Amino acid sequence: MKNNNLAVVEILRTDGRREEHHVGRHIILDWIHRMIGAALTDTVNLHDGRVMIVNDRGYETKEVHGPGFLRLEPIKALLPVNEQATAIYHSLCQSGTTHQIVGDVAIAWDKDFE
């Protein structure tokens, strides 16, 4: 029988390991932060109901200001490249995208964060 209080979370490690975990929904984000070593995270919509949670401090960045906007541009990776996560990311991006995902990431169903 399925436990609706548990979320399935896949962790993609920079060394190529893939781990599947069943995590209580009430602690999912804190748990992911601990598992991927991130104090702050960002998400990538995988367009299939899942999101990839990435370490928001994986790059040294610089601020670029313009009329009505502020953008952070990556300068230098602070964590190892995650080849699996980067391949997933590139499959969703415009052709020619070169940005790489760094650090361990988590993939989970977006609905599990409600």
Side-chain angles (χ1 to χ4, degrees), residues 49-93:
R50 298 176 303 153
V51 290
M52 181 188 308
I53 298 94
V54 302
N55 190 329
D56 198 39
R57 298 289 169 99
Y59 279 92
E60 182 180 319
T61 59
K62 74 173 181 177
E63 291 184 357
V64 177
H65 298 267
F69 75 88
L70 165 68
R71 182 177 65 238
L72 295 178
E73 288 189 358
I75 302 295
K76 177 177 95 174
L78 301 173
L79 299 168
V81 171
N82 188 317
E83 298 292 341
Q84 293 178 85
T86 298
I88 293 168
Y89 177 70
H90 285 171
S91 75
L92 303 168
C93 294

Side-chain angles (χ1 to χ4, degrees), residues 5 10 21 28 31 37 42 49 51 58 65-66 68 71-72 83 86 91 99 103 109 112:
N5 292 321
E10 184 175 20
H21 299 273
I28 188 170
W31 183 88
D42 200 356
V51 290
H65 298 267
R71 182 177 65 238
L72 295 178
E83 298 292 341
T86 298
S91 75
H99 182 73
W109 293 97
D112 288 332

Side-chain angles (χ1 to χ4, degrees), residues 5-77:
N5 292 321
L6 293 179
V8 176
V9 179
E10 184 175 20
I11 303 293
L12 305 181
R13 302 284 182 194
T14 58
D15 65 7
R17 289 180 292 140
R18 294 176 87 112
E19 307 166 2
E20 184 177 297
H21 299 273
H22 299 265
V23 181
R25 287 183 176 170
H26 64 288
I27 62 164
I28 188 170
L29 195 54
D30 288 336
W31 183 88
I32 288 171
H33 283 182
R34 286 191 311 274
M35 288 297 287
I36 67 172
L40 295 172
T41 55
D42 200 356
T43 59
V44 176
N45 183 340
L46 300 183
H47 302 291
D48 63 358
R50 298 176 303 153
V51 290
M52 181 188 308
I53 298 94
V54 302
N55 190 329
D56 198 39
R57 298 289 169 99
Y59 279 92
E60 182 180 319
T61 59
K62 74 173 181 177
E63 291 184 357
V64 177
H65 298 267
F69 75 88
L70 165 68
R71 182 177 65 238
L72 295 178
E73 288 189 358
I75 302 295
K76 177 177 95 174

